Amino acid sequence: MFKNIMVPVDLAHADGLRRALSVAAAMARMGDGRVTYVGVTAETPTAIAHTPAEYRSKLEDFARQQGAAANIQTAAHACASHDPGVDLNDTLLAAAKDLAPDLIVMASHLPNLSDRFWPSHGGQIAKRAMASVLVVRPAPATEDQT
Amino acid sequence: MTDIPEDPTGIPLPDGPTDIIDTEYTVGQDNIETSIGPFGMDIHNPVFMISGLSIVAFVFYALALPEQAEAVFGALRPWLTSTFDWFFLASGDVFVLFCLFLIVSPWGSVRLGGRDAVPDYGYPGWFAMLFAAGMGIGLMFYGVAEPMSHFSSSLGGIATEGGARTDWAPLGAAEGDQAAAIRLGMAATIYHWGLHPWAIYAVVALALALFSYNKGLPLTIRSAFYPIFGERVWGWTGHIIDTLAVFATLFGLATSLGYGATQANAGLNELFGIPVSTTTEVILITGITAIALISVIRGLDGGVKVLSEINMGLAFFLLLFVLIAGPTVAILTLFGDSILSYLTHLPALSMPFGREDVNFSQGWTSFYWAWWISWSPFVGMFIARVSRGRTVREFVVCVLLIPTFVCVLWMSVFGGTAITQAVNDGVTAVANAPLELKLFQMLKELPLTGIMSFVGIVLVVVFFVTSSDSGSLVIDTITAGGKVDAPVPQRVFWCVFEGAVAIALLIGGGLGSLQAMVISTGLPFTIVLLLLCLAIWRGLASEPR
């Protein structure tokens, strides 16, 4: 199946990624592939790290933990952006071009009115990336309880 | 199981050693993440609420009791600039000396962002952004007006009444001596637009960049005060500092936008006969805000930087045209003379004590210093945002010396042309025109008047847009507790809010009183800036070089 899977991650909201991370891990196990976690950080201090270098190190830790927990091969790819609030999609697409994944697994929120003004990142990546894109919505409440 | 590959396009590693400040505080820890309708928000509590509500309250006050507001703030500003003129002037000198010291000191080799950090922007983009945010529209209006004004008052000589000087000439004037009046007029103008204002911006920008990129603190004004207030900057001390900065930035931008629309309307009326009315001005503000909105939504690289570069390109084109179409030899001679007379007169112009030219030193210099200082949180923070990767020496040279050089060139070309027109050709239209029309009157004496005046109006609008978009980004970052990746609707909110405040004040009155209030914030900020010099000193001393 898929050998090179890219998963964009927001370390500040890692809880919201659980479902997408599980899906990516399952796909990787199925095809004996590798998951690369891609994170985008600002060059200014953030809630996660004081510097871009520290962010990269934390993303690498995150990849190691995911690899150990899911028993899969993982990698980390950190990107810095001047204005991540706006440049996130372009930065992720540039990363996708460099990493050349055959699948991108991306967590996304439930569609709402704001998507009419600012399309979701998942939607934009699916529209513009050359790779297959799997957009993973949040789990329904019943699934969360189980 | 984990494989960490080389990262050819990701973050350059390492950023090099820096002296990270050890604090328990993390960026955004006081933030509230919520939704207003479908729009996500990530705002600092309480800076966002206090700033927003107090701005609304002040606007209501100015609209409900315009006469009282005018009386209070209208009297406050001249009182501050005349009572504390010595303090403003002396502080300005301290900032310049401090910056010059940094250039030659060993700390000049400290790199913002770590020893191995790479600059985020190339020279053209970086310079365009800091210049567009720093000087903006003032160059368009005062480039012709100020040299002419100082030249005329110097030529007119000294006038006294009851032992006190009543003239507006700088220093001892130059009565009847045309050549000396031109030199003195240019020196006085460059004094107000050269080293001193840029030193003010450099101090604020350097403090913010240093404490954010090298010390790991949030990119917000309070962070620069960590060496002085310690952990208290995360409490109410910091809330007050950040709120004041938001306040000064938003009102500074909104009142400038209001006045700018009035001035642009007058220009359009003169050139195209478009009626001067509140409706036209509201349309202008709406248009400027709409373009700024597109710019902030496109972000720092896709919007603000692009517009700043367009701005610089247009400004350079206009400058080159006036230089070539105007009295080229006279301008170039004046350019050299202006630098020399600036350096010659600088010690006397910057003397804080024993001044006899009270109208000039209080009405012009002290007012300008308060104005530049009240804008410094906005411009400084924006410069800091785009200056990662520069060494302190490179930073100070580029923020202090190069813009000063460009200002001298700009004033020599525009002011020099207008003065030459008046002196050699006897043209009095520029001298007699109101402020907003002086540039266009000067262009009328040159070829291609229609096209170049249109370029002038476009430039006026673009200068406003570049101030509005960068200001909205700065306010958004401060009210998001230093987060630069807060949801986009927030920056949209501040951009629209700024336009709405400008329209409300334009229609209801109160532009003058609130602008006076903004300038009044220059006094507390002067104290703040002096403390920042101390903070930079301490911060740099602990940095690995």
Side-chain angles (χ1 to χ4, degrees):
Chain A
M1 285 289 276
F2 298 106
K3 293 284 181 195
N4 184 6
I5 301 170
M6 168 176 152
V7 181
V9 292
D10 176 0
L11 291 185
H13 298 96
D15 280 352
L17 301 171
R18 264 187 299 177
R19 205 169 187 223
L21 295 173
S22 304
V23 169
M27 302 290 268
R29 272 196 302 271
M30 203 184 299
D32 195 22
R34 183 175 79 171
V35 176
T36 304
Y37 301 97
V38 177
V40 180
T41 185
E43 280 143 340
T44 52
T46 65
I48 300 297
H50 294 101
T51 63
E54 188 186 344
Y55 178 85
R56 179 186 167 118
S57 151
K58 291 198 170 176
L59 187 65
E60 287 167 355
D61 286 345
F62 176 83
R64 274 188 208 98
Q65 286 162 12
Q66 291 296 317
N71 197 28
I72 52 170
Q73 197 183 28
T74 59
H77 182 94
C79 306
S81 163
H82 297 149
D83 192 358
V86 168
D87 295 337
L88 184 66
N89 294 340
D90 287 338
T91 313
L92 289 177
L93 286 165
K97 201 173 168 191
D98 294 329
L99 298 170
D102 42 22
L103 174 68
I104 300 172
V105 177
M106 205 161 168
S108 188
H109 59 261
L110 292 174
N112 62 32
L113 183 65
S114 72
D115 295 330
R116 306 260 172 199
F117 302 95
W118 287 280
S120 69
H121 298 302
Q124 284 295 298
I125 299 299
K127 196 172 164 184
R128 294 166 59 192
M130 301 305 284
S132 301
V133 178
L134 176 56
V135 176
V136 181
R137 301 280 186 218
T142 48
E143 189 181 312
D144 257 355
Q145 286 161 9
T146 57
Chain B
M1 296 297 291
T2 305
D3 171 25
I4 309 293
E6 277 304 303
D7 193 352
T9 57
I11 299 166
L13 244 187
D15 282 319
T18 55
D19 176 45
I20 296 287
I21 286 179
D22 187 20
T23 170
E24 292 297 308
Y25 190 84
T26 55
V27 179
Q29 86 171 33
D30 293 329
N31 281 24
I32 298 173
E33 287 190 50
T34 182
S35 294
I36 297 177
F39 302 112
M41 304 286 278
D42 188 350
I43 52 178
H44 185 276
N45 178 39
V47 171
F48 184 96
M49 289 306 288
I50 293 178
S51 309
L53 291 177
S54 55
I55 286 164
V56 171
F58 267 88
V59 170
F60 270 110
Y61 171 60
L63 294 180
L65 300 166
E67 284 169 18
Q68 194 190 62
E70 187 86 43
V72 172
F73 298 125
L76 184 62
R77 184 188 61 75
W79 178 76
L80 284 174
T81 50
S82 57
T83 310
F84 296 98
D85 57 331
W86 61 272
F87 182 61
F88 283 118
L89 265 71
S91 303
D93 297 342
V94 168
F95 303 138
V96 172
L97 292 173
F98 181 68
C99 287
L100 293 175
F101 165 73
L102 287 179
I103 294 174
V104 296
S105 79
W107 297 334
S109 59
V110 170
R111 191 173 287 278
L112 299 170
R115 204 158 56 196
D116 304 324
V118 181
D120 287 348
Y121 294 96
Y123 281 113
W126 181 51
F127 183 68
M129 283 194 282
L130 68 92
F131 203 79
M135 286 297 161
I137 202 66
L139 281 178
M140 294 300 292
F141 290 114
Y142 291 99
V144 173
E146 198 174 337
M148 279 294 286
S149 175
H150 296 324
F151 161 68
S152 305
S153 58
S154 298
L155 197 61
I158 293 172
T160 52
E161 198 178 296
R165 272 178 67 170
T166 54
D167 63 278
W168 284 77
L171 304 177
E175 192 170 355
D177 185 343
Q178 217 167 53
I182 293 173
R183 283 198 298 272
L184 184 56
M186 289 306 294
T189 307
I190 295 165
Y191 171 54
H192 291 152
W193 292 83
L195 291 175
H196 285 74
W198 287 99
I200 289 166
Y201 293 155
V203 165
V204 180
L206 182 59
L208 293 171
L210 179 69
F211 286 95
S212 183
Y213 297 130
N214 293 49
K215 309 292 182 186
L217 301 183
L219 182 64
T220 179
I221 307 290
R222 68 175 79 195
S223 297
F225 292 88
Y226 190 89
I228 296 162
F229 298 117
E231 293 292 323
R232 276 178 295 169
V233 293
W234 313 126
W236 277 99
T237 309
H239 300 338
I240 292 167
I241 292 169
D242 279 353
T243 304
L244 257 177
V246 172
F247 214 70
T249 304
L250 192 121
F251 274 131
L253 285 168
T255 51
S256 296
L257 197 57
Y259 276 126
T262 315
Q263 290 165 338
N265 194 178
L268 286 169
N269 176 259
E270 175 77 10
L271 291 168
F272 305 113
I274 292 171
V276 173
S277 70
T278 308
T279 312
T280 313
E281 286 156 11
V282 169
I283 291 171
L284 274 168
I285 294 177
T286 309
I288 289 168
T289 304
I291 304 171
L293 205 54
I294 295 169
S295 176
V296 293
I297 290 172
R298 289 183 57 83
L300 204 50
D301 291 354
V304 181
K305 178 168 162 261
V306 171
L307 267 180
S308 296
E309 285 172 344
I310 291 172
N311 196 346
M312 282 298 101
L314 273 176
F316 183 69
F317 173 67
L318 191 64
L319 183 88
L320 208 61
F321 171 79
V322 176
L323 177 64
I324 293 167
T328 313
V329 177
I331 290 170
L332 292 176
T333 312
L334 184 65
F335 176 63
D337 281 353
S338 298
I339 294 177
L340 275 178
S341 34
Y342 171 54
L343 295 174
T344 312
H345 290 297
L346 187 59
L349 285 167
S350 55
M351 177 58 71
F353 307 104
R355 297 291 289 261
E356 288 178 359
D357 53 348
V358 282
N359 279 340
F360 174 81
S361 62
Q362 294 175 359
W364 279 98
T365 308
S366 186
F367 168 82
Y368 261 127
W369 275 206
W371 176 247
W372 297 133
I373 289 169
S374 67
W375 275 71
S376 64
F378 150 48
V379 181
M381 185 142 158
F382 185 72
I383 294 176
R385 175 99 186 252
V386 296
S387 300
R388 183 179 173 276
R390 305 282 170 192
T391 64
V392 169
R393 185 170 296 118
E394 190 182 11
F395 175 89
V396 178
V397 165
C398 289
V399 176
L400 191 67
L401 301 184
I402 294 176
T404 299
F405 179 82
V406 175
C407 281
V408 177
L409 184 63
W410 185 275
M411 295 297 178
S412 301
V413 171
F414 286 81
T417 302
I419 290 173
T420 310
Q421 286 170 352
V423 170
N424 294 353
D425 309 329
V427 176
T428 54
V430 178
N432 296 334
L435 175 72
E436 62 269 22
L437 292 179
K438 283 186 193 290
L439 170 72
F440 301 110
Q441 287 295 348
M442 186 269 284
L443 289 174
K444 263 190 178 173
E445 302 299 320
L446 302 178
L448 304 173
T449 306
I451 297 171
M452 297 321 291
S453 297
F454 182 71
V455 170
I457 287 185
V458 172
L459 201 48
V460 167
V461 170
V462 180
F463 260 122
F464 271 119
V465 173
T466 51
S467 293
S468 177
D469 59 9
S470 43
S472 303
L473 283 183
V474 164
I475 297 174
D476 179 39
T477 306
I478 299 174
T479 54
K483 275 192 168 183
V484 296
D485 58 350
V488 178
Q490 277 173 228
R491 58 176 79 171
V492 170
F493 166 77
W494 284 113
C495 191
V496 173
F497 192 51
E498 178 195 307
V501 170
I503 289 172
L505 294 174
L506 185 75
I507 294 173
L511 275 171
S513 51
L514 284 184
Q515 192 172 46
M517 188 195 66
V518 170
I519 295 167
S520 304
T521 62
L523 182 69
F525 270 125
T526 307
I527 301 165
V528 161
L529 259 65
L530 288 169
L531 289 174
L532 280 187
C533 293
L534 183 67
I536 293 172
W537 180 295
R538 287 188 183 175
L540 284 175
S542 60
E543 274 298 302
R545 293 197 293 273

